[in-house]
């Protein structure tokens, strides 16, 4: 087995991780088909790597450095840092997904908007402020990883794909994107463009972070990978979708880093 979500189970078979995966539901998705890590495990296994996942469904980037997972992640880096070849990071999606997170990023009334950019609020609490917070969370997490790992350790961050704001959640519940778009009065014709605009802005933020150390900070660009049929709901691909992203987007980066 090349991927573990339970440290105790990994320890019982006397295995040490060479990759830590710090992430949200893209690493932890519990429904049929599994998460992205399920499909990354076999890719890195050929190089005799083992992945240990930290975080959980619903994790926000803040949680990794100041919130509920800080102590566990810091402890894992202290225990395994010297032997790590890589750290994978998946975070930020839950920071903008959900009515209470997404709605403040949007203007009060977008009914007259002509473009996606018109729909996002500027100033304190707006999209720019959100991206500054994400930038800070990522840089602080990367600094923590640097502190506990060797100079050979690579850090892989990923952007999300262009989710479809169709209102689909999990188990019949409301989605994470469409309710906020509707409440803001975003015209139906602009709702997908708004999600694309947000995902592109998040990807650009990661690019600015990675530019500080391109030899060690690598970005997996997931955008534009999935067809509509590959999505299970507004935020998560089906298993075949995660497999497609792992094969088409992660594998080339992993091979370039000597991890696959």
């Amino acid at each position: 087995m090349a991927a573990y979500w339970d440290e105790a189970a990994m320890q019982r078979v006397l295995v040490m991780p060479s990759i830590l995966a710090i992430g949200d539901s893209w690493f932890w998705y519990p429904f049929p088909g599994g998460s992205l890590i399920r499909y990354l495990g076999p890719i890195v296994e050929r190089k005799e790597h083992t992945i240990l996942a930290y975080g959980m469904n619903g994790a926000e980037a803040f949680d990794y450095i100041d919130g509920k997972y800080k102590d566990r992640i810091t402890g894992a880096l202290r225990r395994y840092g010297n032997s790590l070849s890589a750290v994978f990071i998946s975070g930020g999606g839950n920071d903008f997904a959900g009515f209470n997170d997404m709605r403040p990023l949007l203007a009060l009334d977008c009914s007259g908007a002509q473009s996606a950019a018109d729909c996002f609020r500027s100033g304190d609490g707006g999209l720019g402020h959100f991206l500054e917070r994400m930038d800070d969370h990522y840089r602080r997490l990367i600094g923590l990883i640097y502190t506990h790992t060797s100079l050979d350790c690579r850090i892989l961050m990923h952007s999300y794909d262009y989710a479809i704001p169709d209102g689909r959640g999990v188990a019949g519940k409301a989605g994470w994107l469409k309710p906020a778009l509707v409440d803001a009065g975003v015209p139906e014709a602009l709702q997908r463009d708004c999600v694309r605009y947000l995902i592109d802005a998040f990807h650009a933020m990661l690019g600015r972070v990675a530019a500080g150390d391109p030899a060690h900070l690598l970005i997996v660009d997931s955008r534009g990978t999935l067809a509509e049929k590959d999505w299970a709901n507004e935020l998560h691909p089906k298993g075949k979708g995660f497999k497609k992203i792992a094969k088409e987007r992660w594998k080339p980066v992993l091979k370039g880093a000597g991890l696959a």
Side-chain angles (χ1 to χ4, degrees), residues 1 16 70 93 97 107 120 133 153 161 163 175 179 190 239-240 249:
M1 185 172 177
M16 288 278 287
K70 174 187 175 181
F120 286 90
R133 286 191 289 110
C153 184
D161 202 356
L190 288 180
K240 65 179 182 180
R249 300 306 178 100

Side-chain angles (χ1 to χ4, degrees), residues 159-200:
S159 55
Y160 300 91
D161 202 356
Y162 297 127
I164 300 169
D166 55 13
R168 287 186 298 163
V170 172
K173 295 181 180 179
W176 300 266
L177 303 173
K178 192 173 185 68
L181 294 166
V182 171
D183 188 78
V186 177
E188 184 77 27
L190 288 180
Q191 290 181 10
R192 287 198 183 196
D193 288 344
C194 283
V195 175
R196 292 178 67 93
Y197 187 87
L198 178 55
I199 297 297
D200 284 342

